[in-house]
């Protein structure tokens, strides 16, 4: 190659190099210049719930040997991609519950002890009975009412439930013919004055809003105030009692019509005295008779399902003043299902009968059912369970954009060191020659 050819080649290479540099600004596109990666927003701190104080287990009065440990508290799962309401909704009120623990002051004291055994559960319902042996006791003479009144008045949200017999000698197995005569006397108003005195006594004790479970289990054969011997007279008598007690100034009583579950001696709907004098429709429901499953207790004539439907059709709240274990022994399945039933149907209140053979705290004959009762109700109260604020999902940084090459442009491999200093790759457009003309 002569010197003239070498000079021509050198001029061509120089021209090409100059064209490459001149077209660099046009050739650089998105993603070709080296840039700093965008950091994502810092994640919000995860909220923590206040620690749950440890509650020591309180042994039962019967020195229950198999005390159930407090159940472990499972934290709420973290929610991703939450959809938050603009304003928090009020928590749904939990059904009020308690237990029958004793007639008098010991029952009041045991309310606090049972609450501690249940991990501080809020027992808002106190339940006791007036003796039905003589009229003076039905009139409210027993001084244990003072202790229950003090318990009720210690907090505005408590409920005092009082079973009231309709006739004296209430558990003396009075024959049907005499029961019929007594019911007819009551229907005429012969016993009104006894119930007027009771109403005044309760108002004086400042418990005018007592729930009166009047003539309970009237569909059976146990009590003198049973309905079967004369249902019509029984209903008239109930209505006279309610009307008499409501006539006392200052009263705010609610009257609870409470049969036992099932048909018993007479279908309890035959005894229903009418919507005007009934505020609550209750049911005493023990785990009996032997061999009857919970599903059968629900579906039997005059059973749990009919109770709920009957109350709904009359626009009344329901209750379970007495319930518990019985003929089927230590039956955890009954306990689990009955608690679930009440959570589903939300009675105004329920009170477990807590002594043997029915109970779980004062009776050590039912350790399995006791464990279920305690685990379900442990720590239950009216305060809504704190719901942690959902932790927002950490935003995902945008991925590094995939380089896109400008049209008619081929990247030049100049090496990492050169690309570092010039700030990215360069490319050569195929149409540089036409653009330069």
């Amino acid at each position: 190659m002569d010197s003239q050819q070498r000079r021509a080649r050198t001029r061509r290479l120089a021209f090409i190099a100059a064209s490459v540099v001149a077209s660099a600004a046009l050739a650089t596109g998105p993603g070709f210049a080296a840039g700093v990666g965008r950091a994502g927003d810092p994640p919000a701190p995860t909220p923590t719930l206040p620690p749950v104080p440890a509650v020591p287990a309180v042994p039962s009065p019967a020195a229950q040997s198999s005390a159930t440990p407090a159940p472990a508290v499972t934290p709420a799962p973290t929610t991703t991609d939450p959809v938050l309401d603009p304003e928090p909704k009020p928590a749904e009120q939990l059904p009020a519950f308690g237990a029958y623990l004793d007639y008098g002051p010991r029952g009041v004291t045991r309310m606090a002890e049972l609450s501690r055994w249940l991990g501080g559960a809020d027992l808002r319902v106190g339940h006791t009975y007036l003796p039905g042996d003589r009229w003076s006791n039905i009139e409210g003479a027993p001084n244990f009412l003072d202790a229950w009144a003090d318990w009720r008045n210690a907090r505005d949200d408590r409920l005092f439930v009082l079973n009231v017999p309709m006739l004296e000698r209430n558990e003396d197995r009075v024959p049907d013919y005499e029961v019929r005569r007594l019911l007819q006397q009551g229907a005429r108003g012969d016993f009104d004055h006894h119930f007027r005195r009771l109403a005044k006594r309760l108002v004086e004790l400042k418990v005018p809003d007592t729930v009166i479970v009047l003539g309970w289990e009237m569909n059976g054969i146990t009590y003198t105030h049973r309905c079967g011997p004369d249902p019509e007279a029984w209903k008239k008598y109930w209505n006279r009692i309610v009307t008499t007690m409501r006539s006392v100034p200052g009263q705010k009583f609610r009257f609870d019509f409470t049969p036992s579950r099932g048909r018993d001696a007479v279908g309890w709907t035959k005894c229903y005295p009418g919507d005007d004098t009934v505020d609550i429709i209750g049911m005493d429901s023990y785990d009996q008779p032997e061999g009857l499953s919970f599903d059968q207790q629900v579906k039997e004539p005059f059973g749990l399902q009919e109770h709920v439907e009957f109350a709904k059709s009359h626009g009344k709240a329901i209750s379970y003043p007495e319930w518990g274990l019985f003929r089927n022994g230590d039956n955890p399945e009954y306990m689990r299902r009955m608690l679930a039933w009440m959570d589903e149907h939300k009675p105004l209140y329920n009170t477990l009968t807590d002594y043997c053979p029915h109970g779980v705290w004062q009776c050590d004959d039912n350790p399995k059912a006791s464990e279920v009762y305690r685990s379900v109700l442990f720590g239950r109260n009216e305060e809504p369970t704190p719901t942690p604020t959902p932790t927002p999902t950490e935003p995902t940084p945008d991925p590094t954009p995939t380089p896109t090459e400008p049209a008619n442009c081929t990247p030049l491999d100049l090496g990492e060191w050169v690309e570092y200093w010039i700030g990215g790759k360069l490319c050569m457009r195929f149409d540089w020659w036409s653009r330069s003309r």
Side-chain angles (χ1 to χ4, degrees):
M1 179 183 296
D2 58 19
S3 59
Q4 185 176 359
Q5 291 174 325
R6 285 196 297 272
R7 286 195 297 272
R9 181 182 178 188
T10 300
R11 284 196 298 272
R12 288 196 297 271
L13 291 173
F15 181 77
I16 292 171
S19 300
V20 169
V21 173
S23 65
L26 297 174
T28 304
F32 278 83
V36 178
R38 183 173 63 86
D41 296 330
T46 303
T48 56
L49 296 177
V52 179
V55 180
V58 179
S60 72
Q64 188 166 336
S65 59
S66 57
T68 308
V73 179
T74 303
T78 302
T79 305
T80 57
D81 298 330
V83 178
L84 300 179
D85 292 325
E87 294 182 2
K89 297 179 180 178
E92 186 176 13
Q93 189 179 48
L94 295 170
F97 71 101
Y100 170 73
L101 302 170
D102 188 78
Y103 277 93
R106 284 191 300 177
V108 176
T109 301
R110 289 171 182 172
M111 290 285 285
E113 295 172 3
L114 176 58
S115 174
R116 286 195 294 271
W117 182 73
L118 290 172
D122 190 9
L123 275 63
R124 294 196 296 115
V125 188
H127 185 194
T128 193
Y129 299 73
L130 287 176
D133 55 343
R134 62 192 66 167
W135 280 117
S136 61
N137 283 332
I138 297 174
E139 292 172 356
N143 58 14
F144 63 72
L145 286 178
D146 298 64
W148 283 109
D150 291 342
W151 175 87
R152 161 63 186 91
N153 289 317
R155 274 178 44 183
D156 290 340
D157 62 346
R158 284 177 173 169
L159 194 67
F160 178 44
V161 177
L162 181 64
N163 277 46
V164 176
M166 294 170 69
L167 291 167
E168 66 175 347
R169 297 183 294 149
N170 200 38
E171 298 184 38
D172 288 356
R173 300 190 179 278
V174 177
D176 282 355
Y177 73 87
E178 189 170 354
V179 168
R180 187 178 301 109
R181 179 181 61 80
L182 291 169
L183 292 176
Q184 291 169 357
Q185 283 185 259
R188 291 195 303 265
D190 291 358
F191 308 132
D192 289 0
H193 59 287
H194 299 301
F195 295 97
R196 188 175 293 107
R197 287 174 185 165
L198 172 61
K200 290 180 178 179
R201 168 92 161 115
L202 294 172
V203 171
E204 290 169 358
L205 288 172
K206 299 182 180 179
V207 284
D209 57 353
T210 298
V211 173
I212 306 292
V213 185
L214 181 64
W216 69 100
E217 299 183 12
M218 78 297 295
N219 56 324
I221 61 173
T222 302
Y223 301 111
T224 304
H225 63 218
R226 60 189 181 271
C227 167
D230 193 337
E232 293 305 313
W234 191 93
K235 289 186 284 187
K236 290 179 182 178
Y237 184 28
W238 165 287
N239 289 331
R240 287 204 67 98
I241 294 172
V242 172
T243 301
T244 298
M245 295 187 70
R246 283 179 175 172
S247 70
V248 172
Q251 68 80 34
K252 302 175 185 177
F253 304 124
R254 284 180 284 183
F255 291 88
D256 191 331
F257 171 82
T258 299
S260 56
R261 194 199 73 245
R263 180 179 296 277
D264 215 326
V266 61
W268 49 261
T269 54
K270 292 183 178 180
C271 308
Y272 187 67
D275 292 344
D276 291 343
T277 56
V278 172
D279 300 295
I280 306 160
I281 299 178
M283 178 163 281
D284 288 351
S285 185
Y286 292 98
D287 185 21
Q288 64 172 344
E290 186 176 353
L292 194 71
S293 70
F294 188 82
D295 286 330
Q296 290 171 318
Q297 295 176 27
V298 170
K299 298 175 182 178
E300 68 177 326
F302 307 102
L304 290 171
Q305 188 64 49
E306 187 165 347
H307 167 231
V308 170
E309 292 174 354
F310 184 87
K312 184 177 180 180
S313 70
H314 288 265
K316 304 297 181 182
I318 63 171
S319 70
Y320 298 98
E322 293 184 28
W323 68 279
L325 304 160
F326 199 12
R327 303 292 185 187
N328 294 301
D330 185 12
N331 187 351
E333 178 66 10
Y334 164 83
M335 183 61 63
R336 185 179 299 107
R337 295 285 301 277
M338 189 64 185
L339 289 169
W341 177 267
M342 291 187 289
D343 277 350
E344 177 184 357
H345 295 285
K346 296 178 175 53
L348 177 66
Y349 70 91
N350 80 78
T351 44
L352 175 76
T353 302
D354 194 60
Y355 57 80
C356 286
H358 312 301
V360 295
W361 180 55
Q362 297 186 113
C363 178
D364 57 9
D365 292 346
N366 304 310
K368 295 178 182 178
S370 173
E371 182 178 359
V372 171
Y373 183 85
R374 192 179 187 219
S375 65
V376 171
L377 297 180
F378 194 88
R380 181 177 289 198
N381 55 55
E382 274 298 300
E383 295 298 324
T385 302
T387 303
T389 303
T391 303
T393 304
E394 183 177 352
T396 304
D398 294 332
T400 303
T402 302
T404 58
E405 299 174 4
N408 301 320
C409 181
T410 301
L412 298 177
D413 187 6
L414 303 178
E416 293 181 0
W417 187 83
V418 174
E419 291 171 357
Y420 173 80
W421 284 107
I422 67 175
K425 289 184 179 292
L426 296 179
C427 72
M428 172 69 74
R429 290 188 183 275
F430 293 122
D431 60 351
W432 65 271
W433 175 258
S434 62
R435 286 175 179 271
S436 64
R437 290 174 64 90

